[in-house]
């Protein structure tokens, strides 16, 4: 039962049964226990307001033709009691559970699109602005637009610098992990190295089962830290320097709280084909660069039950629009660092021909901090695994990062 629609129904008992079914459907779909339930949906002129009893992961909206409707996908949300709302272009509202959250559908009396949306400061309300449009505009929107809205970073309490809030849900302040130590010259920019996986999450395994991704990533991360510190060009902190589990948001959350200028998450790839080998680097995009990138994102995001963005059923022709210009600039900076890393890594370590790829990776979602995910090689390939498990191999990986980091900051300094 992927879509258990709840619609406004007159009989009281059937309402509660439907709501219970919807709750159950959401629960079975793996929605975390704290997920916000949709409490209320209101239509007032061109504004649609959704209220939740707790924060939700994210929201995206897109339009569908024949019949005309607007779908709002809410990551980490649970459908609530049926809402009887209409007005303006909206003639009715339905809601149902879907994988990882809820979908609200606005049935339209006339063509309209979502032009804007924002979460309230506490992440518990989402207000969307609709605009009535002509048939041609609607048809165009139906084929291409998916707008994404993210709740604000509450626990960081940063100064409100942006016109839009684009950020991800994070645990409340009490749960924020302690900040790690920073090493190096205080006048230098800070690079945060994130060793992927850890604790109860081993990541992928080598073919003979003796190597775990979480151990290799930590060894490689430490080699990179040492190499960067030896260069004297940057300060370095690590999200973890022992075998512990961190949720994905905490990984970039730590880096943001420290004010990092660059975030590097270290992983090892894995594939069914044991011959697949070579390093790749990923930067953030809502649309994966290819099928393999989408699969990788699905795998890496699974480390975190709070994973909010579901690329699974986003059709390839739906491109998304990230509304925050800061995030756009951050993505550009991340991509240029990824290209630099490719240039420096290719002579030193085995790399894939298509080195720089893009995917919707949760760990890269800080809106204002350039971030990359470095798949340093395939743990599923014995040669790559042995390379990464050797001191000499790790030193080569570290050298490629050090070279790229040095050029990256030198260029940025010069540009200032
Ligand atoms: Zn991984």
């Amino acid at each position: 039962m992927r879509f258990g629609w709840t619609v406004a129904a007159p009989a009281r008992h059937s309402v509660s049964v439907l709501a219970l079914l919807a709750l159950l459907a959401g629960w079975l779909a793996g929605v975390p226990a704290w997920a916000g339930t949709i409490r209320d949906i209101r239509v007032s002129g061109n504004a649609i307001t959704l209220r939740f009893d707790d924060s939700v992961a994210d929201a995206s909206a897109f339009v569908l033709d024949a019949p005309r409707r607007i779908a709002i996908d809410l990551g980490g949300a649970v459908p609530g009691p049926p809402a009887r709302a209409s007005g303006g272009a909206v003639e009715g509202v339905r809601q149902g559970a879907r994988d990882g959250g809820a979908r609200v559908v606005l049935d339209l009396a006339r063509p309209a699109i979502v032009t804007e949306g924002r979460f309230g400061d506490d992440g518990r309300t989402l207000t969307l602005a609709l605009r009535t449009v002509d048939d041609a505009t609607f048809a165009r929107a139906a084929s291409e637009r998916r707008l994404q809205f993210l709740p604000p970073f509450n626990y960081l309490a940063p100064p409100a610098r942006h016109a839009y809030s684009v950020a991800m849900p994070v645990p409340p302040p009490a749960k924020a992990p302690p900040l790690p130590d920073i090493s190096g010259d205080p006048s230098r920019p800070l690079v945060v190295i994130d060793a992927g996986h850890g604790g109860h999450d081993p990541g992928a395994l080598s073919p003979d089962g003796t190597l775990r991704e979480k151990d290799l990533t930590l060894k490689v991360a430490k080699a990179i830290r040492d190499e960067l510190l030896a260069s004297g060009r940057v300060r370095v902190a690590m999200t973890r320097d022992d075998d512990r589990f961190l949720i994905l948001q905490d990984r970039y959350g730590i880096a943001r709280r420290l004010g990092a200028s660059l975030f590097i998450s270290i992983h090892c790839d894995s594939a069914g084909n044991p011959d697949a080998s070579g390093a790749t680097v990923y930067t953030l995009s809502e649309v994966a660069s290819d099928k393999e990138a989408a699969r990788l994102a699905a795998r890496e995001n699974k480390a975190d039950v709070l994973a909010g963005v579901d690329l699974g059923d986003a059709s390839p022709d739906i491109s998304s629009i990230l509304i925050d210009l800061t995030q756009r600039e951050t993505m550009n900076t991340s991509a240029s660092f990824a290209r630099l890393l490719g240039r420096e890594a290719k002579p030193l370590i085995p790399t894939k021909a298509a080195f720089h790829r893009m995917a919707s990776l949760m760990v890269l979602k800080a809106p204002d901090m350039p971030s990359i995910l470095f798949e340093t090689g395939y743990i599923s390939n014995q040669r790559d695994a042995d390379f990464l498990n050797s001191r000499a191999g790790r030193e080569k990986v570290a050298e490629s990062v050090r070279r790229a980091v040095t050029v990256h900051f030198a260029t940025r300094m010069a540009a200032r």
Side-chain angles (χ1 to χ4, degrees):
M1 193 182 105
R2 290 202 46 204
F3 283 87
W5 294 109
T6 61
V7 291
R12 259 258 148 84
H13 75 275
S14 70
V15 169
S16 57
V17 167
L18 276 172
L20 187 68
L21 278 175
L23 258 172
L24 205 62
W27 184 52
L28 291 174
V31 175
W34 50 263
T37 301
I38 301 166
R39 276 285 155 239
D40 190 28
I41 303 171
R42 266 162 215 260
V43 180
S44 168
N46 286 326
I48 313 292
T49 305
L50 289 82
R51 284 199 305 116
F52 316 101
D53 66 356
D54 204 341
S55 52
V56 303
D58 66 352
S60 60
F62 54 99
V63 301
L64 293 155
D65 216 341
R68 285 174 179 148
R69 59 211 192 274
I70 292 172
I72 304 156
D73 283 346
L74 300 154
V78 176
R84 200 192 285 277
S86 63
V90 178
E91 111 191 315
V93 174
R94 294 174 283 152
Q95 52 182 310
R98 62 188 291 279
D99 289 350
R103 174 171 289 180
V104 170
V105 172
L106 311 174
D107 291 308
L108 299 173
R110 55 180 182 271
I113 58 170
V114 175
T115 56
E116 206 183 319
R118 66 185 299 155
F119 277 93
D121 286 341
D122 61 0
R124 294 183 180 195
T125 57
L126 170 66
T127 306
L128 300 175
L130 300 194
R131 197 178 72 221
T132 307
V133 294
D134 59 28
D135 291 352
T137 307
F138 185 86
R140 208 163 46 240
S143 70
E144 65 191 32
R145 272 150 71 96
R146 187 178 185 116
L147 291 168
Q148 185 165 34
F149 315 109
L150 300 165
F153 268 108
N154 293 318
Y155 85 129
L156 295 167
R161 286 181 297 150
H162 311 312
Y164 297 94
S165 302
V166 172
M168 292 303 291
V170 286
K175 284 191 203 153
L179 291 175
D181 292 336
I182 300 174
S183 309
D185 179 344
S187 69
R188 301 293 183 179
L190 174 65
V191 178
V192 168
I193 318 274
D194 171 51
H197 309 278
H200 66 74
D201 169 22
L205 300 178
S206 64
D208 60 7
T210 57
L211 294 173
R212 297 175 298 188
E213 185 183 357
K214 68 171 183 174
D215 301 320
L216 274 188
T217 59
L218 185 56
K219 286 185 191 174
V220 173
K222 285 179 171 171
I224 294 171
R225 174 195 62 191
D226 295 347
E227 178 79 15
L228 289 179
L229 285 177
S231 80
R233 302 298 182 94
V234 290
R235 288 178 298 151
V236 182
M238 293 180 54
T239 55
R240 68 175 180 102
D241 62 0
D242 55 14
D243 184 18
R244 75 177 67 190
F245 177 75
L246 286 168
I247 65 165
L248 297 171
Q249 282 95 337
D250 280 348
R251 293 174 185 271
Y252 66 72
I254 286 171
R256 277 195 90 221
R257 285 157 66 209
L258 291 174
S261 301
L262 184 62
F263 177 76
I264 302 176
S265 187
I266 302 296
H267 285 259
C268 309
D269 218 330
S270 80
N273 172 8
D275 293 332
S277 79
T280 43
V281 70
Y282 283 82
T283 57
L284 182 65
S285 160
E286 291 311 309
V287 180
S289 51
D290 52 49
K291 278 228 167 70
E292 203 179 332
R295 268 198 297 276
L296 177 112
R299 194 166 66 237
E300 296 292 5
N301 289 342
K302 212 162 49 185
D304 197 339
V305 291
L306 310 182
V309 176
D310 175 17
L311 271 173
D313 53 8
S315 84
D317 59 354
I318 295 174
S319 60
S320 90
I321 298 167
L322 284 169
I323 53 176
D324 190 288
L325 290 173
T326 301
Q327 181 141 31
R328 217 179 291 257
E329 191 192 317
T330 302
M331 288 163 85
N332 289 340
T333 308
S334 305
S336 79
F337 179 72
R339 283 192 296 272
L340 259 182
L341 183 58
R343 194 185 75 184
E344 301 301 334
K346 275 176 183 169
L348 291 170
I349 65 172
T351 57
K352 288 196 118 168
F355 181 74
H356 177 203
R357 291 163 177 228
M358 292 186 229
S360 179
L361 287 155
M362 177 68 70
V363 78
L364 302 180
K365 289 204 167 174
D368 50 4
M369 178 177 67
S371 308
I372 62 151
L373 185 143
F374 191 10
E375 294 278 358
T376 47
Y378 280 78
I379 194 172
S380 54
N381 175 279
Q382 197 63 53
R383 263 213 330 275
D384 277 14
D386 291 342
F387 180 77
L388 293 172
N389 198 37
S390 73
R391 198 193 169 93
R394 289 196 296 272
E395 280 173 358
K396 291 267 192 266
V397 173
E399 188 184 342
S400 63
V401 174
R402 189 252 300 153
R403 288 183 180 189
V405 163
T406 304
V407 177
H408 173 76
F409 286 113
T411 318
R412 293 182 75 73
M413 228 69 108
R416 236 168 247 168

